[in-house]
Amino acid sequence: SELFDDISTLKREAPGLKLLSEIIANELTTNLKSILWGNRIYLTDNLFYSLEDRSIKLDEYLQSCNALVRLRDGSGIVLLSDREADTLLNAEMNISAKKNKFCPTILLHKSFVCAHSSEEKLLMDHTNSRQTLLLEEDLLARLQLWSGDTMYRSPSRLQAMKAILPTIKEREEALKIPLLRKLQRYVQGSDLAQLCEDD
């Protein structure tokens, strides 16, 4: 779909799209504003607003980040709700069926993209057509941080995380995210804990 060519096209067709940094600044009551979130991660309304009543504190109802789409121009990624991912996958399968051939998916899973680092060459094989797909370490580090992940695959990912969390203030805020996501049991002994203990 041309919808995911670039952010301008996507925003025109999906006006509810918001930058992660804007949501953190305006919608969360937990203060995570000091963290250098950048301007390349977008969330859909369906992913962030998981409750009909928008007056309720949403910090306690954050959905997990599983599905994402990389914009074709490389300007960023869009995190989707599971339902949106299902809809997109069905649409892609219908297109493949109509064309009577497999069309490479634009839908990605966070676990898959975060399992690879810039030190590796990541190739996706789609019926003999290979395409290189690699998200930048700083983008993956921000994605993992927002997801509440506490372990990072490679030295380059850890370096990217250090750049995002340069001072004690940012690191203290980063430790709140696993707590928000009910993942605090994974903090002790983790890469995130070690990073936050370093000077």
Side-chain angles (χ1 to χ4, degrees):
S1 169
E2 294 171 0
L3 183 64
F4 294 102
D5 283 348
D6 56 67
I7 197 58
S8 301
T9 305
L10 189 55
K11 277 187 169 178
R12 192 168 56 246
E13 299 299 324
L17 203 66
K18 289 187 176 71
L19 270 171
L20 173 60
S21 55
E22 290 173 358
I23 286 175
I24 285 168
N26 302 317
E27 305 290 344
L28 290 185
T29 55
T30 304
N31 186 2
L32 305 173
K33 296 175 189 173
S34 298
I35 295 170
L36 306 175
W37 290 108
N39 61 353
R40 298 181 62 207
I41 299 179
Y42 296 85
L43 275 70
T44 62
D45 268 359
N46 284 333
L47 177 63
F48 185 72
Y49 297 106
S50 53
L51 302 173
E52 270 189 50
D53 185 353
R54 294 197 178 187
S55 66
I56 293 174
K57 181 181 173 184
L58 292 169
D59 303 48
E60 313 248 335
Y61 299 95
L62 297 177
Q63 292 190 64
S64 58
C65 310
N66 294 316
L68 62 119
V69 171
R70 182 185 188 188
L71 298 172
R72 286 194 182 94
D73 68 352
S75 61
I77 58 174
V78 180
L79 306 183
L80 307 173
S81 69
D82 290 344
R83 181 171 290 183
E84 289 167 325
D86 284 345
T87 302
L88 181 58
L89 192 57
N90 281 332
E92 289 182 336
M93 290 170 66
N94 288 337
I95 290 168
S96 293
K98 284 178 185 173
K99 292 184 176 179
N100 203 22
K101 67 174 185 177
F102 182 80
C103 299
T105 183
I106 59 169
L107 185 65
L108 303 169
H109 196 282
K110 181 189 79 85
S111 297
F112 178 74
V113 295
C114 290
H116 298 272
S117 70
S118 59
E119 287 102 5
E120 302 167 318
K121 191 175 183 184
L122 170 59
L123 291 171
M124 294 173 64
D125 194 342
H126 291 308
T127 58
N128 299 325
S129 70
R130 289 178 178 263
Q131 66 181 57
T132 303
L133 177 68
L134 192 62
L135 298 180
E136 298 86 346
E137 291 294 328
D138 67 315
L139 190 57
L140 290 173
R142 288 178 171 94
L143 175 59
Q144 285 198 266
L145 186 61
W146 173 244
S147 301
D149 294 352
T150 58
M151 298 297 289
Y152 314 115
R153 179 169 176 81
S154 64
S156 57
R157 185 87 41 86
L158 199 52
Q159 283 304 116
M161 195 65 76
K162 286 179 180 177
I164 296 165
L165 309 171
T167 70
I168 291 171
K169 186 175 183 181
E170 287 93 1
R171 293 173 187 190
E172 286 175 349
E173 289 184 9
L175 286 171
K176 296 176 187 176
I177 300 171
L179 186 64
L180 279 177
R181 294 194 173 276
K182 314 290 188 283
L183 299 170
Q184 60 268 30
R185 64 190 178 279
Y186 298 115
V187 173
Q188 187 175 0
S190 69
D191 290 342
L192 179 62
Q194 183 63 51
L195 188 156
C196 292
E197 287 166 10
D198 290 345
D199 293 331

